[in-house]
Amino acid sequence: MDHESIGRLFQTAAKGDAAAWRSLVEALSPLVWSVVRAHGLSDADGHEAYQTTWFRLAQHLDRIREPERVSTWLATTARNECRKIIRSGRKLVAGEADTFDRIPDERTPETVVIESEEAAAEAERHRRLWAAFQQLGDKCQRLLRVLMGSPPHSYQEAAAALGLQIGSIGPMRQRCLRRLRVLMSEGGGP
């Protein structure tokens, strides 16, 4: 969805249209989550930052002067909320995990073995990738996390989320991905 469409959607939502508000949240939630994840918060703190960001938007509906830039506003607000949580140093404790009823397994033993081997290979690829990712500097990690959002975020949104100049996003992204490729070719581990 382009910025003009987001702006129109925001204006409709600001006038009280619940369906437009849901559509706006659906369209921009990946952006807010990518900013939150880039700050490495715990799940509970991340959810708090996410919810507070949307709450701040609801509080400031009448103060948004450029509706087509609401995604940039959200990215900046999410970054600020994450920083507040990090500065406060508090840790929220998540509640106990819910238990689920077991679903009977109707797969054949052969299927279980094949799926297990495929899952192990996939897990190893993921382990190597994340081991290499962990070796990247903090700036590269944050940038790549924001840019990996789904749908992909614009460089303008990434710049706002990370407090960088828009012209530095592309070259920095290239350097970070080049370094990640080198680390992966070296085995992805320290």
Side-chain angles (χ1 to χ4, degrees):
M1 193 174 276
D2 63 25
H3 291 287
E4 288 182 23
S5 300
I6 291 289
R8 287 191 299 275
L9 190 59
F10 170 77
Q11 289 174 323
T12 305
K15 292 176 184 170
D17 186 320
W21 184 259
R22 279 190 301 277
S23 295
L24 184 69
V25 171
E26 183 179 307
L28 296 177
S29 280
L31 168 66
V32 175
W33 275 119
S34 67
V35 173
V36 169
R37 282 191 301 272
H39 284 81
L41 300 175
S42 69
D43 284 345
D45 286 343
H47 279 86
E48 180 176 342
Y50 172 84
Q51 291 172 352
T52 304
T53 298
W54 285 105
F55 177 70
R56 296 274 184 253
L57 180 62
Q59 281 182 313
H60 297 99
L61 289 175
D62 58 333
R63 298 175 90 191
I64 305 294
R65 303 265 182 255
E66 299 176 72
E68 68 280 354
R69 295 189 49 156
V70 72
S71 58
T72 303
W73 188 95
L74 280 167
T76 302
T77 302
R79 185 182 75 224
N80 293 338
E81 291 303 324
C82 290
R83 288 180 175 173
K84 283 180 195 175
I85 291 171
I86 290 168
R87 277 193 307 269
S88 73
R90 72 187 168 104
K91 302 292 180 202
L92 298 179
V93 178
E96 292 182 23
D98 294 330
T99 56
F100 296 95
D101 294 330
R102 289 193 175 261
I103 299 172
D105 190 355
E106 298 178 5
R107 299 172 297 166
T108 66
E110 294 83 9
T111 304
V112 171
V113 169
I114 292 169
E115 288 174 359
S116 175
E117 289 173 354
E118 289 172 349
E122 185 70 14
E124 177 58 19
R125 282 191 295 275
H126 285 235
R127 186 206 61 76
R128 286 183 50 241
L129 173 63
W130 287 112
F133 187 82
Q134 296 287 329
Q135 292 179 54
L136 293 173
D138 186 53
K139 283 186 176 182
C140 279
Q141 287 184 23
R142 286 178 176 223
L143 175 69
L144 293 177
R145 283 186 175 163
V146 168
L147 292 177
M148 288 186 320
S150 177
H153 306 298
S154 70
Y155 280 9
Q156 181 179 10
E157 293 165 337
L162 299 170
L164 298 171
Q165 294 294 322
I166 194 168
S168 67
I169 299 294
M172 185 177 170
R173 175 182 170 264
Q174 287 178 340
R175 285 190 302 273
C176 293
L177 290 175
R178 190 176 311 119
R179 177 71 179 137
L180 186 60
R181 282 187 203 101
V182 167
L183 290 168
M184 284 294 293
S185 69
E186 293 172 354

